[in-house]
Structure formats: structure tokens, C-alpha cells
């Protein structure tokens, strides 16, 4: 395959419609090879200040542009992304490591989101409702919040940014976007697309730099009225604390400890496919990744054998080579974290059936690779069954009933995604009611969310908000109640008329 060229060896911020350099930069490295791809700016607080100033000014005008016209820009963004899908996908694989097939899927999510949210330009529905008094009209409508901040992670460098920025823009806001320093290329490419699509300057501002400097400055800035964040639980909690002090709206998506439940009547081959795809796809570095399989005792041994047989077919390596099904881990810190959890699992008494170590042969030189790993005989209270590992590690937890399975699923701190494999319609309905997660799959793995449904979860996964779907608009709009009295006299509501 011909390698795509990024066309620059140094990225620049995109502020007020201009490409601006920063004094300091850092190397962005391909996790599959260790080779440098590009230099990324390490901006300071001053860049955030400039971006906010530009955004405030631009947003005032943008809010007055009719929403269907705002949407036209998003349609154009969607067309440009579609034209560049292969380029974006290859660059995404280079910066993040995920295999090309998955990179194409992620870029497609962004394209779908562009067209879906552009459609919102002709909806953005409010409500009309009867008023209490004669000759009076009442309605509620959405209003933009103003300047909003989005902070995105490295594991979905383009899709998550589209889930947040597209609804913000169509609703009439201006955006300051801080992408993860690990994966800035998608942000740079998307900023170029916004510019070419004709988005007025200042409506999207991309400020590269570390979370502790740029992210922190955004969270503290009084003129950024919303922070929408996806990333670790620890960072999310700290952001929420500061936003709480400022009464700033904050939307958090902070991962999961997702389980596939396999009942004794399940189609086991289907379950194996669902588990493989959601546990080892993206090397397990999805917030929706399956990292627990809660299996009925009666089919445990059978499932183990089938899983082990299929795991042998997982080819691991550089995601640009289409034969590979599992790519690298994002960086050394990620790899070290996985290694620690393998030791934790062994010490807790779980039985290691496959994998368990990094891949360090010549073929993997320069990259960070970890063998797909299967533990069995884990219990629901072990740390490997409760804590987010963010790697290709899955643990089987045996149970004896659906009730026990649901209880095991629900006893973790997180509540993002869950799945059940069964042929029994009664069990399906009981499970979808009782599984305490924001997303439930039946006879499918735990990953693969569609952009027109709400994405997010319960408990430690978030704070009640959702990305994607029409629900994302709630993050980026205020509700305004409007009363129009056309009686020509002062009518007093809320008085006792008896
Ligand atoms: N829910 C999910 O999808 C994700 C979950 N995770 C979990 O988090 C673990 C650690 O990954 P990591 O990348 O360090 O996650 P972080 O939560 O640190 O990073 C997510 C984003 O937040 C930014 N950030 C970091 N610190 C701050 C801060 N103080 N204020 C504002 N923004 C900040 C980061 O910037 P920068 O990195 O540039 O410094 C990045 O853009 C993973 O192993 C995984 O368990 C990670 C990614 C996604
Ligand atoms: O797999 C999915 O459904 C989406 C995953 C995702 O966006 C994430 O892991 O952050």
C-alpha cells in the first residue's frame, strides 16, 4: 500500500481561522513502529486566551445565522470527510495504531455524525404547549450556550470529537477543542476540513497541548461555559470538581468495565465472535471494550475451548497491514498498566489460559504490542473484574443463573455497556431491564454504538449526560421558556382564580 503523506512535519494550532505556531513542540510517535510522525504544539495558556477571545466574538454572529444555514457547513464537512475517508483512515491508523478496518469504521462514524447533526439544523425541536391564560402563547426552545470546550482522548481521535463538536456547532456555539497530545493528526485534518467547508473563523479553534496546561486553562476559563470530556475517571472527576465550583456545565464519559453474559442456551459460536471483536478489537482500548465474560457454568468449558481456538487466528501487528486483526497499545504507559494487571490477576487466583505478556520479537520492534489474554475462574470481586485495564485482557467469571449474572454485571463502579447472548426472549427482556448500563446489546458484543442513539453510561461512567444522539444537544444548549401574551392587557398568571 502506498503510504499517505501528512504533508507537514509540524502541526499548528487553528485559532480564529489562522494557523498559529507554538514555541514548544513534542514528537508524535506511531505506536506500531516507534517512528516519529510529526511534531505537535505544546501550547500555553495564552493560546487558550486567544482562542476564547476569537470564539466569543464569532459566536455572537453564528448564533444569529439560521440553523439550516449553519447545517449547510456540516453537510459540506461530511462530503469532504467522505472524499478523504481513505486518507483520514490511514493517518488515524498511523497515529493511534488501530487496524485499518477499524480506522475506516471510526472515520465513517464521523461522516455519519456530520449528516445526522446537519439534519438537526432543520429540527432542533422545542415544544409548544397550552398557556394557562386566554390569548397567551407558550413555548420552549433551545438556545446556544456560547463558547464550549471539548477535551478528547486518543482512543477515538476523530469520532468522539465529531460527537461533541458537530452538535455544538449546529446549535450555534463556538468551540475550543483540545485533542489528546498522543493523537493530534485527526484534529489537524478535521480543522482543515472545517476551514475548507466555509465555517466562519473563530467557530472552531483547535488548541494543541497537554491536559495539565491547555486542558486545565480551559476548565478554569470563566468564558468557557461547558466542558465536554471523554477520558479517564480520575481526570474527569477533577474536571467535574472544578466545574462544580464555577457552576459550569460539564459532561463526562469516563470508561467502563463491560461484560458479555453468555447463558446456557446461547449460540456459542456467535458469542465467541462477539467476545473476540469487543475484547480484542482496538486492542481492548475502547471504553466499551468487553473485559469480563460472565458465563453460565454449564457452558463454561465449551466456551473456553472455542475462544482459545479462535484466539489463535488473531494476527497481531501494524494496523496498516490489512492481514492484521489486532494492533499495538498506544504507548509504554498503557503497556505497563496491562502488565501490572496480569500480575494482579495471577495473584488474585484467576487462571491464565492464554497470552499474558508483551510481544517483543523482532517483528514487533519499536512498537508496543500485547498478546490477547484470557483469564478464567475469576470472581466478580477481583480487581481484574472491577478495574479498567484498557488492553486486550478478558476474564471469565462463572455463574449459575441469569440473576447471578446480572448481579455480577452490576456490582462494578462503571455502567457503560453490557451484552447478553441467549435465545430466550424472556431472559432478553429481563436483562435489558435489569442491566445497569447506558447501553445494552442482545446477541452482539459490547462495542459498535450507532451515532443517532445516546452514548454514555450510569454510575462511575459519567454524570448523566450523553454524547451522540439528539441527547447530545442537551449538553450544548440551554432551554428557554417563552410566553407571548397577545391579550393587550396585563394578565396575571399564578394567582388563585377561585
Ligand atoms: N473513556 C475513554 O474512552 C477513555 C478512557 N481512558 C482511560 O484513562 C486511562 C489513562 O489514559 P489518559 O490518556 O492518560 O487519560 P486522560 O483522562 O488523562 O486524558 C484524556 C484527555 O484529557 C486531557 N487531560 C489530562 N489531564 C487533564 C487536566 N488536568 N485537565 C484537562 N484535561 C486533561 C488529556 O490531555 P493530554 O493527554 O494531551 O495530556 C486528554 O486530552 C486509560 O488507560 C484508560 O483507562 C483513556 C482514554 C479514553
Ligand atoms: O465501541 C463503541 O461503541 C464506541 C467506543 C468508543 O467510542 C470509545 O471507546 O470511546
Amino acid at each position: 500500500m502506498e503510504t499517505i503523506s501528512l504533508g507537514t512535519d509540524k502541526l499548528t494550532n487553528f485559532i480564529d481561522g489562522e494557523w498559529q505556531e507554538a514555541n514548544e513542540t513534542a514528537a508524535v510517535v506511531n505506536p506500531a513502529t516507534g517512528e516519529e510522525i510529526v511534531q505537535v504544539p505544546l501550547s500555553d495558556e495564552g493560546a487558550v486566551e486567544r482562542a476564547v477571545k476569537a470564539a466569543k466574538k464569532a459566536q455572537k454572529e453564528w448564533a444569529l445565522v439560521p440553523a439550516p444555514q449553519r447545517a449547510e457547513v456540516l453537510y459540506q464537512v461530511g462530503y469532504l470527510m467522505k472524499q478523504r475517508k481513505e486518507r483520514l483512515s490511514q493517518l488515524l491508523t498511523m497515529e493511534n495504531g488501530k487496524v485499518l478496518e477499524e480506522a475506516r469504521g471510526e472515520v465513517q462514524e464521523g461522516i455519519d455524525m456530520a449528516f445526522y447533526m446537519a439534519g438537526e439544523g432543520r429540527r432542533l425541536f422545542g415544544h409548544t404547549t397550552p398557556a394557562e391564560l386566554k390569548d397567551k402563547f407558550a413555548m420552549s426552545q433551545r438556545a446556544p450556550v456560547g463558547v464550549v470546550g471539548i477535551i478528547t482522548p486518543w482512543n477515538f481521535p476523530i469520532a468522539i470529537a465529531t460527537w461533541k463538536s458537530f452538535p455544538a456547532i449546529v446549535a450555534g456555539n463556538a468551540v475550543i477543542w483540545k485533542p489528546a497530545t498522543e493523537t493530534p493528526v485527526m484534529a489537524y485534518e478535521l480543522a482543515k476540513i472545517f476551514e475548507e467547508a466555509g465555517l466562519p473563523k473563530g467557530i472552531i479553534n483547535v488548541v494543541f497541548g497537554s491536559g495539565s496546561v491547555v486542558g486545565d486553562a480551559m476548565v478554569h476559563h470563566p468564558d468557557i461555559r461547558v466542558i465536554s470530556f471523554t477520558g479517564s475517571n480520575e481526570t474527569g472527576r477533577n474536571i467535574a470538581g472544578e466545574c462544580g465550583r464555577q457552576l459550569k456545565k460539564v459532561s463526562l464519559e469516563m470508561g467502563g468495565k463491560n461484560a458479555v453474559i453468555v447463558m446456557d442456551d446461547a449460540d456459542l459460536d456467535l458469542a465467541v465472535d462477539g467476545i473476540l471483536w469487543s475484547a480484542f478489537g482496538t486492542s481492548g482500548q475502547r471504553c466499551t471494550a468487553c473485559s469480563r465474560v460472565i458465563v453460565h457454568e454449564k457452558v463454561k468449558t465449551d466456551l473456553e475451548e472455542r475462544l482459545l481456538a479462535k484466539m489463535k487466528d488473531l494476527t497481531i501487528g501494524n494496523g496498516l497491514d490489512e492481514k492484521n486483526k489486532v494492533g499495538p497499545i498506544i504507548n509504554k504507559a498503557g503497556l505497563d498498566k496491562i502488565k501490572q494487571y496480569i500480575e494482579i490477576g495471577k495473584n488474585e487466583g484467576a487462571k491464565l489460559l492464554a497470552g499474558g505478556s508483551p510481544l517483543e520479537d523482532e517483528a514487533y520492534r519499536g512498537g508496543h504490542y500485547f498478546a490477547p489474554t484470557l483469564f478464567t475462574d475469576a470472581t466478580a470481586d477481583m480487581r481484574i473484574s472491577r478495574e479498567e485495564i484498557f488492553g486486550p485482557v478478558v476474564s471469565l467469571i462463572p455463574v449459575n443463573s441469569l440473576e447471578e449474572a446480572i448481579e455480577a454485571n452490576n456490582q462494578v463502579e462503571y455502567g457503560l455497556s453490557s451484552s447478553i447472548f441467549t435465545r430466550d426472549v424472556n431472559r432478553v427482556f429481563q436483562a435489558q431491564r435489569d442491566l445497569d448500563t447506558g447501553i445494552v446489546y442482545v446477541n452482539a458484543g459490547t462495542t459498535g454504538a450507532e451515532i443517532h442513539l445516546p452514548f454514555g453510561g450510569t454510575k462511575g461512567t459519567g454524570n448523566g449526560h450523553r454524547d451522540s444522539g439528539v441527547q447530545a444537544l442537551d449538553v450544548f444548549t440551554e432551554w428557554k421558556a417563552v410566553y407571548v401574551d397577545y391579550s393587550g392587557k396585563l394578565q396575571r398568571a399564578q394567582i388563585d382564580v377561585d
Side-chain angles (χ1 to χ4, degrees):
M1 180 195 297
E2 201 188 319
T3 317
I4 295 277
S5 158
L6 179 55
T8 179
D9 54 10
K10 198 160 142 195
L11 303 181
T12 45
N13 289 327
F14 186 61
I15 298 174
D16 202 11
E18 284 172 11
W19 298 94
Q20 300 183 4
E21 289 197 5
N23 292 333
E24 271 185 73
T25 60
V28 179
V29 169
N30 181 337
T33 62
E35 288 160 11
E36 180 175 325
I37 305 172
V38 73
Q39 290 280 319
V40 59
L42 290 181
S43 313
D44 56 19
E45 293 86 349
V48 176
E49 199 53 57
R50 288 197 301 281
V52 174
K53 200 168 160 223
K56 264 182 89 171
K57 186 159 170 262
Q59 192 270 334
K60 285 200 170 66
E61 302 265 314
W62 186 239
L64 299 179
V65 174
Q69 277 180 40
R70 295 198 294 254
E72 287 302 321
V73 181
L74 280 190
Y75 279 118
Q76 195 55 30
V77 166
Y79 293 129
L80 288 170
M81 287 178 77
K82 207 167 163 182
Q83 271 170 19
R84 286 177 210 173
K85 182 171 172 183
E86 193 53 27
R87 171 186 172 81
L88 292 170
S89 305
Q90 290 192 29
L91 290 173
L92 171 50
T93 292
M94 281 160 69
E95 69 169 347
N96 164 281
K98 65 178 63 180
V99 298
L100 206 41
E101 188 186 28
E102 290 178 333
R104 291 187 185 117
E106 182 182 342
V107 174
Q108 186 59 45
E109 264 190 60
I111 296 168
D112 294 341
M113 195 64 186
F115 293 126
Y116 172 64
M117 272 301 153
E120 275 306 315
R122 289 187 182 271
R123 291 186 291 267
L124 283 177
F125 293 136
H127 303 278
T128 59
T129 182
E132 289 175 2
L133 299 173
K134 194 164 167 270
D135 296 334
K136 188 178 174 196
F137 179 81
M139 65 182 169
S140 63
Q141 64 189 29
R142 292 186 186 276
V145 184
V147 178
V148 305
I150 69 173
I151 300 177
T152 54
W154 48 264
N155 66 332
F156 276 77
I158 193 158
I160 291 177
T162 68
W163 295 357
K164 297 178 190 297
S165 63
F166 293 175
I169 287 170
V170 82
N173 300 284
V175 178
I176 317 288
W177 173 17
K178 194 212 91 62
T181 308
E182 216 81 50
T183 53
V185 174
M186 284 301 99
Y188 178 72
E189 290 286 306
L190 194 54
K192 283 200 296 188
I193 287 176
F194 275 123
E195 185 184 35
E196 282 177 52
L199 189 70
K201 61 182 198 158
I203 297 301
I204 185 109
N205 301 275
V206 179
V207 184
F208 296 107
S210 74
S212 56
V213 176
V214 172
D216 193 63
M218 287 168 63
V219 170
H220 282 87
H221 203 296
D223 291 335
I224 298 183
R225 295 310 309 151
V226 175
I227 294 287
S228 175
F229 167 84
T230 299
S232 66
N233 201 282
E234 191 190 347
T235 304
R237 276 175 198 269
N238 290 336
I239 289 176
E242 178 52 35
C243 289
R245 269 186 289 282
Q246 294 177 51
L247 299 181
K248 182 180 289 199
K249 198 169 181 183
V250 59
S251 165
L252 305 170
E253 200 284 281
M254 303 177 294
K257 190 66 191 177
N258 315 291
V260 165
I261 296 173
V262 183
M263 295 308 298
D264 49 348
D265 65 340
D267 176 337
L268 289 189
D269 285 331
L270 190 65
V272 165
D273 285 345
I275 294 164
L276 288 181
W277 173 239
S278 47
F280 304 129
T282 330
S283 309
Q285 301 169 107
R286 288 187 184 222
C287 52
T288 51
C290 161
S291 58
R292 302 182 291 158
V293 174
I294 302 171
V295 57
H296 199 289
E297 273 285 5
K298 283 189 195 155
V299 292
K300 188 191 94 164
T301 309
D302 198 351
L303 186 75
E304 282 168 4
E305 284 166 5
R306 290 178 203 229
L307 271 171
L308 286 171
K310 282 267 190 121
M311 281 172 69
K312 293 201 175 74
D313 298 337
L314 294 173
T315 38
I316 302 154
N318 190 331
L320 285 178
D321 182 342
E322 302 225 30
K323 78 170 187 309
N324 291 325
K325 296 284 171 246
V326 181
I329 303 302
I330 188 72
N331 54 26
K332 184 170 177 309
L335 198 75
D336 289 345
K337 181 173 167 189
I338 300 165
K339 283 198 271 187
Q340 276 169 21
Y341 273 102
I342 300 300
E343 291 315 307
I344 291 170
K346 286 184 195 162
N347 292 335
E348 286 178 312
K351 191 166 143 202
L352 186 64
L353 285 184
S357 48
L359 298 169
E360 285 160 345
D361 297 355
E362 188 55 27
Y364 303 110
R365 181 193 278 269
H368 306 288
Y369 294 91
F370 202 90
T373 297
L374 181 64
F375 276 112
T376 192
D377 295 333
T379 58
D381 55 0
M382 288 179 178
R383 283 183 65 194
I384 55 163
S385 309
R386 290 186 286 115
E387 296 173 15
E388 192 173 49
I389 301 174
F390 236 56
V393 181
V394 68
S395 306
L396 263 56
I397 303 170
V399 293
N400 284 299
S401 67
L402 178 60
E403 287 68 26
E404 217 188 304
I406 291 172
E407 196 184 323
N409 178 78
N410 291 351
Q411 79 180 60
V412 292
E413 183 198 342
Y414 296 100
L416 182 53
S417 182
S418 57
S419 124
I420 179 163
F421 283 85
T422 177
R423 291 180 165 107
D424 181 339
V425 70
N426 296 342
R427 284 172 161 172
V428 168
F429 275 86
Q430 185 180 342
Q432 65 82 24
R433 182 194 63 198
D434 294 343
L435 289 167
D436 188 4
T437 53
I439 306 169
V440 176
Y441 289 94
V442 176
N443 292 328
T446 54
T447 60
E450 300 185 22
I451 54 94
H452 55 300
L453 276 83
F455 184 92
T458 62
K459 301 185 283 184
T461 291
N463 64 340
H465 288 291
R466 295 290 185 267
D467 278 332
S468 274
V470 72
Q471 291 77 5
L473 292 170
D474 288 338
V475 175
F476 300 109
T477 55
E478 294 280 6
W479 279 108
K480 187 176 281 187
V482 179
Y483 302 96
V484 181
D485 190 320
Y486 54 98
S487 67
K489 53 184 188 274
L490 183 67
Q491 302 196 80
R492 289 187 296 157
Q494 294 182 346
I495 55 167
D496 195 345
V497 288
D498 284 341

